[in-house]
Amino acid sequence: MRLALDAARAAAAAGETPVGAVILDPRTGEVIATAGNGPIGAHDPTAHAEIAALRAAATRLKNYRLTDLTLVVTLEPCAMCAGAISHARIGRVVFGAEDPKGGAVVHGPRFFAQPTCHWRPEVTGGVLADESAELLRGFFRARRKKT
C-alpha cells in the first residue's frame, strides 16, 4: 500500500485525483506494475489508476489474464474498475479508503457480489485507510480554497 500511496501522491502532483494502484505477484513479492490516476493528462475518462496498472501488467506479462496477482489500490474501486478487475481475473484486491459515493465493491452495486460477475477476487479493505482518505481530503480541500 505504501507504493500505491506514492503513486497517488505523484498523481496529485500532476493535478490528478490522488489514487494509486500497484499490481504484485504474491508468490514472489515482485511488483509487476504501478500507476496513478491519469484521466486529465491522458484525456481519457478510463485512465483510472487501476485500469492503468492492469494495462501495464497485462502488457508486461503479455497476457490479459492476471490470475493470482494482487491489486493494491488506495481507494475502493468504482464499477468500471471492478469490471476490469473481474475480466482480468485478479486474484486479490486490497484497497485503502472506502468510497461511499463512487465505490462499487463494498458500496453501490457491490459488483463482485452480483450474479452476473463471472470472476470474484478475494477483497480486503481498509488497509492504511486513514492515510489514503486524508490524501484525498487534503487534495480536494486545497482545490476548494483556490476557487
Side-chain angles (χ1 to χ4, degrees), residues 4-19 36-37 135:
L5 283 163
D6 289 344
R9 287 185 193 93
E16 302 281 355
T17 300
V19 177
N37 246 17
L135 185 59

Side-chain angles (χ1 to χ4, degrees), residues 68-117:
D68 298 326
L69 298 182
T70 297
L71 169 68
V72 179
V73 62
T74 58
L75 184 65
E76 176 185 354
C78 70
M80 174 185 69
C81 292
I85 289 163
S86 180
H87 282 286
R89 306 295 196 258
I90 287 287
R92 182 172 184 219
V93 174
V94 176
F95 69 87
E98 290 187 6
D99 185 357
K101 286 175 76 175
V105 177
V106 297
H107 293 93
R110 296 187 172 128
F111 188 89
F112 301 129
Q114 298 304 313
T116 54
C117 179

Side-chain angles (χ1 to χ4, degrees), residues 24-100:
L24 59 92
D25 185 334
R27 294 166 294 188
T28 65
E30 179 185 9
V31 173
I32 307 297
T34 303
N37 246 17
I40 297 167
H43 310 291
D44 178 358
T46 70
H48 290 192
E50 300 96 320
I51 301 292
L54 290 168
R55 287 177 178 157
T59 297
R60 178 173 173 189
L61 299 175
K62 297 181 178 22
N63 191 343
Y64 73 107
R65 296 283 194 229
L66 304 175
T67 308
D68 298 326
L69 298 182
T70 297
L71 169 68
V72 179
V73 62
T74 58
L75 184 65
E76 176 185 354
C78 70
M80 174 185 69
C81 292
I85 289 163
S86 180
H87 282 286
R89 306 295 196 258
I90 287 287
R92 182 172 184 219
V93 174
V94 176
F95 69 87
E98 290 187 6
D99 185 357

